[in-house]
Amino acid sequence: MQAIVLSDHVEVRDDRPSPTPADGEVLVRVLRAGVCETDLQLIKGYMGFRGVLGHEFVGVAQSGPLSGRRVVGEINCACWNCETCRKGLNTHCPNRTVLGILNHDGAFADLIAVPQRNLHVVPDSLSDDVAVFTEPVAAAFQIPAQITVRPDDRIVVLGDGRLGNLCAQVLARLSRRVLVVGKHQEKLALLQSMGIDIARLSDPIDERAADIVVDCTGSESGLPTALKLVRPRGTIVLKTTVAGVQTIAWAPFVIDEVTLVGSRCGPFDQALHALERGFVNVQPLISDRFPLARGLEALERAQTKPVLKVLIDVN
Ligand SMILES: [Zn+2]
Ligand SMILES: [Zn+2]
């Protein structure tokens, strides 16, 4: 089959063997996949991943109870046996593999093997272009799954990129006071057209005033900025990882009793529901698309500014 394979370099191959589904896994014929910041980090050496890239996808199940149906798949493949899994923390299973990220081939390929229990049926009303956003939208829904968001909470989202946009859209349905702080005129203009308040990083923004600050910058400057904006006893949510070691004075967290929440993968059912109802508008985020054979161009395009989402058309 054809696949985008990462070894010591990244290449499109036509001779990749089809994946062999493990116990409890089914093959999914990939229709469309999305390029994510994590893919770009993996190419730079993050996690030391080797294999087929890609974890945002929509496809058609080839066997099992959902055979022939359009599906999306949660990316954490847990053992369901260990103490962590038994506590319901399966996305943190120490034995897990992660599609296209950790010891499991991903979705930039004609076929991907996915645990049956990770699959969710895509409602007929959702196009492939919309369904492919389920994974990142679910990640945005992880914020209200972890913390209480009240209608009058002042929320600042740092970062106007792919994830910042989706987090802002999800949070704007829960609070009427969401402000996105970014650097890119076009990306901020898109958010504004969605009815979300925007500011540039250089604009004056009330310090020590936000109930919740969400860091989607993927940058070392995100956390210090968040700390400046959050109010005493407020909450900072970290949505993006920063490679390497980060130095910060921790005393303000104690003095101001700030809560720091790390946040990663989220609920697919809520994401599909929101996409179906049109609560989250993803189509304007699609900047470009390439067939799988031109996958390297897709990866390159995803690194240029001001791109939001680049899709790969597979089958
Ligand atoms: Zn991702
Ligand atoms: Zn486990």
Side-chain angles (χ1 to χ4, degrees), residues 140 143 157 159 163-175 178-180 191 196-197 214 216:
I143 298 171
V157 176
L163 191 58
N165 183 299
L166 296 177
C167 288
Q169 288 197 56
V170 166
L171 292 169
R173 295 201 58 86
L174 300 169
S175 161
V178 175
L179 173 74
V180 176
L191 282 153
I196 294 169
D197 289 340
V214 181
C216 296

Side-chain angles (χ1 to χ4, degrees), residues 24-26 74 76 78-80 90 114-120:
E25 286 186 348
V26 299
E74 296 186 43
N76 296 283
C79 76
W80 296 100
N90 51 287
V114 186
Q116 169 66 42
R117 63 190 301 170
N118 285 32
L119 297 179
H120 295 256

Side-chain angles (χ1 to χ4, degrees), residues 45-86:
Y46 173 61
M47 308 271 297
F49 178 72
R50 292 284 178 269
V52 178
L53 288 165
H55 58 273
E56 299 176 4
F57 68 96
V58 54
V60 178
Q62 300 298 292
S63 61
L66 303 180
S67 182
R69 313 272 313 260
R70 243 170 8 127
V71 292
V72 288
E74 296 186 43
I75 70 173
N76 296 283
C77 311
C79 76
W80 296 100
N81 252 325
C82 69
E83 210 169 315
T84 308
C85 283
R86 283 201 296 265

Side-chain angles (χ1 to χ4, degrees), residues 192-209:
Q192 197 169 34
S193 76
M194 292 169 159
I196 294 169
D197 289 340
I198 55 159
R200 292 188 145 257
L201 197 51
S202 48
D203 292 344
I205 302 161
D206 289 348
E207 295 190 2
R208 297 169 63 80

